[in-house]
Amino acid sequence: MELNGRPATTGEIASLALHGYGHFTTMLVTDLRVRGLDLHMERLRRDCRALFGTDLDIPRVRELARRSARAHASPAVVRVTVFDPGLDLGRPARRSLPQILVTTRPVPDPERPPTPLRLGVRPYTRDSPQVKGTGLFGAIRQRRSAQLDGHDDALFSGVDGRVSEGPTWNIGFLDGGGLVWPQAPALSGVTARLVGRLSEDMGVPVSTRPLSVAAATRMAGAFVTNAVSGVRAVTSIDGTRLPPAALTTKLAAAYRDLPGDPL
């Protein structure tokens, strides 16, 4: 764990732990290459402007992420978190000086494909879903609730009954003719955007439309996407089985074959 390129102290990360005001992106780094690197940097730049009203030094971000990745075995999960150690809880509108925290962890079983997921629907909408914020209390609480009921993870639905996303991933559905993204407030994930591009390159129609929970359980297949696991099949939603889909397998393979960009 390094803050601006040196070991972080407990005091320096106290505001992040106590207030949770910040943003981040998580990248899978393999041989110093990252799939969708430009999208990760775009996210950090955009979210820094939204939360702190200032521009982020992207070349510095890449330098610090490279430094951390080089110090660990490949592949590694590198998370870049941007926050202000001097944030005043009573006056957060004061001028901010966001800093760059880089943390690294190993990839669990990198040679083993991720197992399919059983999802349990939970009514929840992320606060400011367009920002990848560090405040994960609500999302983790819903994941815990779903797991206590025997599912692997939670699928969020809004007050209008439309499904949206999960705690740390986007979800895509297959309708027999193409790929359907749910139309609902959700974070625009880097992996989902890459999978959308791959689908179009493969000639697969891609659309976005509202999907109720009932409609989601009647789809011809589903998968979730995030940077660490890539494309991961969904086998059930609220106990209703979804059929395995050949397109999910093809998209997962195409995503794994992406070479990534030099960090």
Side-chain angles (χ1 to χ4, degrees):
M1 180 180 294
E2 292 187 337
L3 183 65
N4 301 324
R6 56 174 176 74
T9 67
T10 302
E12 288 172 325
I13 62 173
S15 70
L16 182 62
L18 296 174
H19 310 324
Y21 189 82
H23 65 93
F24 72 100
T25 198
T26 300
M27 303 176 288
L28 179 65
V29 182
T30 304
D31 299 328
L32 294 181
R33 301 182 76 92
V34 178
R35 297 182 186 93
L37 178 64
D38 59 331
L39 299 179
H40 283 287
M41 296 302 108
E42 174 190 313
R43 165 188 284 163
L44 290 173
R45 181 186 294 109
R46 180 193 65 231
D47 290 354
C48 188
R49 173 58 62 180
L51 294 192
F52 298 107
T54 189
D55 292 320
L56 186 64
D57 186 345
I58 295 301
R60 179 61 170 161
V61 169
R62 292 180 61 175
E63 174 190 346
L64 296 176
R66 278 196 306 272
R67 168 191 167 96
S68 185
R70 283 196 180 104
H72 294 80
S74 176
V77 180
V78 176
R79 169 170 159 161
V80 177
T81 303
V82 179
F83 75 108
D84 182 2
L87 179 72
D88 184 339
L89 182 61
R91 298 294 299 276
R94 286 177 175 170
R95 182 171 178 267
S96 296
L97 295 173
Q99 309 294 306
I100 303 166
L101 178 71
V102 180
T103 54
T104 307
R105 59 183 170 87
V107 177
D109 299 321
E111 300 301 323
R112 184 178 179 180
T115 57
L117 288 172
R118 300 164 299 162
L119 303 180
V121 178
R122 292 295 182 273
Y124 181 70
T125 300
R126 194 190 307 272
D127 183 25
S128 302
Q130 71 278 9
V131 173
K132 193 172 179 67
T134 56
L136 299 177
F137 168 80
I140 293 173
R141 183 167 181 264
Q142 299 307 322
R143 171 174 282 169
R144 181 175 186 272
S145 171
Q147 290 177 351
L148 288 173
D149 279 350
H151 307 287
D152 297 314
D153 211 339
L155 171 61
F156 301 154
S157 68
V159 294
D160 56 5
R162 293 187 293 170
V163 298
S164 56
E165 59 179 339
T168 53
W169 39 259
N170 292 108
I171 187 166
F173 294 92
L174 307 173
D175 64 358
L179 168 59
V180 180
W181 299 113
Q183 187 179 60
L187 180 71
S188 177
V190 169
T191 306
R193 292 172 68 179
L194 293 175
V195 169
R197 293 176 183 175
L198 287 170
S199 299
E200 292 174 347
D201 290 343
M202 295 165 59
V204 176
V206 179
S207 61
T208 301
R209 68 173 186 260
L211 289 173
S212 66
V213 174
T217 61
R218 294 193 299 265
M219 299 298 278
F223 59 84
V224 304
T225 62
N226 79 1
V228 177
S229 60
V231 176
R232 188 174 184 180
V234 173
T235 58
S236 67
I237 296 176
D238 270 355
T240 299
R241 299 286 298 180
L242 294 178
L247 181 55
T248 297
T249 303
K250 291 179 181 178
L251 289 173
Y255 180 78
R256 286 194 303 268
D257 288 343
L258 284 176
D261 306 304
L263 182 59

